Amino acid sequence: MSSQASKDHQEGQRPPLLVDDHTVATVRESKILVLLRGLPGSGKSTLAKDIDQKYKDSSRIISADKYEIKPVIRSSSGGDYSKLDDELRSCFERREVSLVILDDTHHDRERLDELFDMANKYQFTVVVLEPKTPWRLDCAQLKDRNHWKLSLEELKNLRPTLEKDLLPLYFGWFLAKRDEDSLRKTSHEFLEQLQNLKTFKKRLQPYGYEDKHKLDLLKYFAKTPNILHCTAKFCDYGKALGSEEYGHLEAVKKGYSKGYTLHITALFATPRTVGAQVELTEDQLLLWPADAEKEVMPKDTFPRGSRAHITLGTANEVQDVQTGIDLLEFIKLQQSGREGENVGEFTGPVSGKISYYDNGMWMLNLSRKIEVKSIFSGYYGKPGVSIPLRGGKKGLLHQCQIL
């Protein structure tokens, strides 16, 4: 292997947040919790130091070794992690720390669930990384490499908990904090302009209102995702059809933890949801499942990526997954030749042509695309409370309140 080929191979073994300039810039504008996962001696601490060195002005390493937490098969209940968790919460609450690196084996699912809940509470996107060292699962070598002096038998007991991929509830693009805040503000401006539109005030019935003075769209769409994101693949922690195959795709492996710029072409509102239409690039479409549109509308045919969206808010008792279905309803009408009734132009920070499609469906085609930075990762926490969709859809749809 030539020196250049060797260098390229080594770079390919390192996560994008260490080697890709666009990703580095995106991470610096995000709130990220990196969970390093693997057997003792596999190279986690070295990887943690590399990441910390890259982001030393805004990162913090928290190590289980510092608190003498021995990596053994155990329940996460008890007081072992109390001091570590105090330090973790302190990092989450400090604005100057935007990248937290947690160095532990992370083999215990109960413990992981606690961390996922904590990260979600403080609106940190989780990135799970494992060392790519050749000996990472070789217990014979790890016996001599781990400073805990774990025996071969102890390492073999730990290995099964770390051999299987840790699949999320769903994969997706999670917005950088700065762009997320900006998009939330844009969403509010869109809704305020919409509710002040004369033609909108005359068509309130689909929203369950007759009096134009009583409808406040910001309150109507009060439910918003904790972290704005564009879902790519629903996995249900590996239980959903095709999720393991998706996780093993080369594009997914290469794209994981990588920074991407998403392009928003339109904002839309229906009596159920308010969202942003996302136009995926060729690189992003490699991460988009071929059956994503068929999952929710099996009888219709759409161009790949048509369902790509960011949920900005939902009405009471409406699941976030409904946003993508509403977007496909717009596209279905457009495919049939119905472009909607042009009712005017929005001006100011949110500008473009506003159209009405009947049944309370409004779409603003933006005069200029909105670009938002994002990190491709997974949501590993608990799903939201299941609420049946209108029409009584079952299965995948009624499980995905947070999508």
Side-chain angles (χ1 to χ4, degrees):
M1 184 182 292
S2 68
S3 59
Q4 182 59 47
S6 177
K7 180 180 178 181
D8 291 343
H9 177 74
Q10 291 174 3
E11 291 292 280
Q13 295 294 304
R14 306 177 77 197
L17 56 77
L18 278 178
V19 297
D20 181 70
D21 290 342
H22 179 68
T23 300
V24 172
T26 303
V27 169
R28 293 188 186 280
E29 297 178 11
S30 304
K31 292 166 64 176
I32 306 287
L33 170 64
V34 173
L35 290 183
L36 296 177
R37 187 169 183 261
L39 288 167
S42 60
K44 299 186 301 299
S45 296
T46 299
L47 182 55
K49 290 174 183 176
D50 287 345
I51 297 172
D52 186 52
Q53 181 64 27
K54 189 75 175 181
Y55 300 92
K56 56 186 176 182
D57 55 336
S58 59
S59 63
R60 176 77 171 272
I61 296 178
I62 300 177
S63 174
D65 290 349
K66 171 184 173 182
Y67 295 96
E68 299 183 351
I69 301 172
K70 188 177 181 180
V72 294
I73 296 292
R74 65 187 185 285
S75 168
S76 64
S77 59
D80 284 349
Y81 282 99
S82 58
K83 292 182 179 179
L84 184 152
D85 287 347
D86 286 343
E87 183 180 356
L88 184 58
R89 289 189 190 92
S90 176
C91 285
F92 284 156
E93 291 169 355
R94 292 168 56 190
R95 292 187 178 182
E96 65 269 22
V97 177
S98 59
L99 176 65
V100 181
I101 308 152
L102 193 51
D103 182 7
D104 195 4
T105 52
H106 293 125
H107 62 276
D108 187 279
R109 184 70 213 199
E110 188 178 346
R111 170 61 184 164
L112 284 169
D113 286 341
E114 292 175 354
L115 294 172
F116 297 147
D117 286 347
M118 201 184 306
N120 194 45
K121 176 182 177 182
Y122 290 97
Q123 297 178 292
F124 271 67
T125 296
V126 174
V127 172
V128 180
L129 296 180
E130 300 181 14
K132 300 297 183 183
T133 53
W135 60 85
R136 62 188 179 277
L137 292 173
D138 188 338
C139 294
Q141 288 196 56
L142 293 172
K143 181 174 71 71
D144 299 323
R145 288 178 177 271
N146 81 90
H147 77 277
W148 286 103
K149 306 300 181 184
L150 295 184
S151 68
L152 184 62
E153 183 179 356
E154 287 176 313
L155 289 165
K156 286 183 176 180
N157 286 336
L158 273 175
R159 188 172 66 181
T161 64
L162 293 161
E163 285 179 319
K164 192 172 182 180
D165 291 337
L166 183 66
L167 290 172
L169 182 63
Y170 60 86
F171 284 99
W173 294 272
F174 296 81
L175 269 60
K177 182 59 179 173
R178 185 180 302 177
D179 287 349
E180 179 186 39
D181 291 343
S182 177
L183 186 57
R184 288 188 191 276
K185 183 178 179 181
T186 297
S187 173
H188 291 171
E189 291 168 347
F190 165 61
L191 292 176
E192 286 175 351
Q193 284 204 60
L194 182 60
Q195 71 182 21
N196 291 326
L197 194 66
K198 288 183 179 180
T199 51
F200 178 79
K201 292 178 179 180
K202 294 177 181 178
R203 296 165 173 172
L204 296 179
Q205 191 171 2
Y207 291 79
Y209 286 80
E210 297 293 342
D211 188 340
K212 63 184 179 182
H213 298 294
K214 291 185 177 180
L215 176 58
D216 183 338
L217 287 178
L218 294 181
K219 293 180 179 179
Y220 183 89
F221 293 118
K223 287 174 55 188
T224 61
N226 203 32
I227 301 175
L228 295 186
H229 61 276
C230 175
T231 300
K233 172 65 178 177
F234 174 71
C235 294
D236 197 14
Y237 317 108
K239 292 180 283 186
L241 184 66
S243 57
E244 289 194 19
E245 293 82 355
Y246 178 85
H248 289 140
L249 289 175
E250 193 62 27
V252 174
K253 291 179 180 179
K254 289 182 177 179
Y256 189 81
S257 85
K258 186 176 181 179
Y260 291 86
T261 297
L262 298 179
H263 297 86
I264 296 170
T265 58
L267 303 176
F268 59 90
T270 76
R272 298 163 297 280
T273 66
V274 56
Q277 182 177 22
V278 174
E279 181 182 79
L280 298 177
T281 64
E282 289 185 11
D283 284 347
Q284 292 159 6
L285 282 171
L286 295 175
L287 300 166
W288 190 258
D291 61 350
E293 285 73 32
K294 289 289 185 182
E295 281 183 337
V296 293
M297 288 192 176
K299 295 182 180 180
D300 297 292
T301 301
F302 299 95
R304 189 171 182 175
S306 295
R307 189 182 165 196
H309 69 279
I310 298 170
T311 296
L312 300 173
T314 64
N316 188 36
E317 297 190 351
V318 173
Q319 301 174 7
D320 291 7
V321 70
Q322 183 66 46
T323 314
I325 300 172
D326 285 352
L327 175 57
L328 291 181
E329 291 286 0
F330 279 104
I331 296 173
K332 188 176 178 180
L333 290 171
Q334 292 167 356
Q335 287 179 332
S336 68
R338 296 180 60 186
E339 291 297 329
E341 176 190 351
N342 183 359
V343 295
E345 298 276 338
F346 279 7
T347 59
V350 183
S351 61
K353 184 181 75 172
I354 183 74
S355 300
Y356 181 62
Y357 285 80
D358 296 332
N359 300 318
M361 297 172 62
W362 300 83
M363 177 170 280
L364 176 68
N365 289 291
L366 296 167
S367 56
R368 179 180 296 180
K369 296 178 184 179
I370 298 173
E371 294 186 352
V372 291
K373 292 179 181 177
S374 67
I375 294 291
F376 186 76
S377 186
Y379 176 85
Y380 299 88
K382 298 173 184 176
V385 178
S386 296
I387 303 171
L389 288 173
R390 61 185 180 91
K393 294 182 183 288
K394 298 181 180 180
L396 165 72
L397 300 184
H398 90 278
Q399 300 177 52
C400 307
Q401 189 248 341
I402 58 174
L403 293 187

